[in-house]
Each structure stands twice: as structure tokens, then as C-alpha cells.
Amino acid sequence: MPDSDPPQPELTTLDSLTKAPHAEIFEERRPRTVRLQLDAGERVPPHTHPGTHIVLHLVSGHLELSLDDETYDVNPGELVRCSGECKISPHALEPSTAVIVFAPTETDGE
């Protein structure tokens, strides 16, 4: 029998989140899941998320996503996966909403 009960399912909507540009979607932060909302022309400065894998799903809008020295054109419905070691910088070409998951890298050999 496991030592602890599994976390209970959580159900929410992106529209119910009020913080901007980043809003935590779930109370349980493993993996951390945020809604990113940017106005047209808004940019998040280049930064890293060491110890994670990142999955970005663009829900609406249009992003120019810089990863290290490469730039990617991201449209609604597209997903991007990268290492948190990359310098990431999203730039909204129009009002944009994305869901981003920061999954911890495995450090115990699993």
C-alpha cells in the first residue's frame, strides 16, 4: 500500500484565472502548470528553468518564441517542448494565451 494517497483531481478553466501575465493553474505545483497571457507586443525576457522540461501549448494568438539562438513561429494548437536549460523568451505578435507545463527532470535514475 502506498505511503500517501494520490492527489485528488483538480478541474478548472483558463477563463477563471485572473493573474497576468502568469497564473498558476493548479494548487499542486508538481508539475508546475501556468497560464501565460500576453498582450500584443509584450515579451517575457530571456530566462531559464533549470531542472525542468518545458511544454508550451499555444491556445490562442500568435507567438514568436526564442529558444537560445533560434526563433520559432508558434500558432494556436501548436505545442513546443524544450529543456528548461534553454533560454526561453516568448513574444506575443497579437494577444496570446498559452498553457505551460514545467515538468521536473528525473534525478533519481527513473
Side-chain angles (χ1 to χ4, degrees):
M1 189 161 200
D3 291 338
S4 63
D5 293 329
Q8 293 296 313
E10 292 181 64
L11 179 64
T12 191
T13 65
L14 294 179
D15 291 338
S16 70
L17 304 171
T18 58
K19 288 189 175 180
H22 299 90
E24 298 289 338
I25 294 177
F26 298 113
E27 189 173 321
E28 173 64 41
R29 291 183 63 178
R30 190 170 171 97
R32 182 176 178 211
T33 308
V34 299
R35 189 239 24 232
L36 175 67
Q37 191 169 340
L38 299 173
D39 290 330
E42 196 172 0
R43 177 188 310 269
V44 176
H47 62 286
T48 61
H49 294 276
T52 66
H53 297 293
I54 299 171
V55 176
L56 180 146
H57 174 219
L58 187 60
V59 176
S60 64
H62 186 189
L63 289 179
E64 197 174 72
L65 184 66
S66 296
L67 298 172
D68 287 334
D69 297 327
E70 298 288 327
T71 301
Y72 301 89
D73 190 57
V74 184
N75 294 290
E78 294 182 327
L79 292 100
V80 178
R81 183 179 65 150
C82 64
S83 166
E85 305 299 325
C86 288
K87 281 189 182 176
I88 186 170
S89 177
H91 173 224
L93 301 178
E94 61 187 64
S96 301
T97 299
V99 172
I100 306 172
V101 177
F102 302 92
T105 56
E106 299 298 332
T107 58
D108 57 10
E110 289 183 27

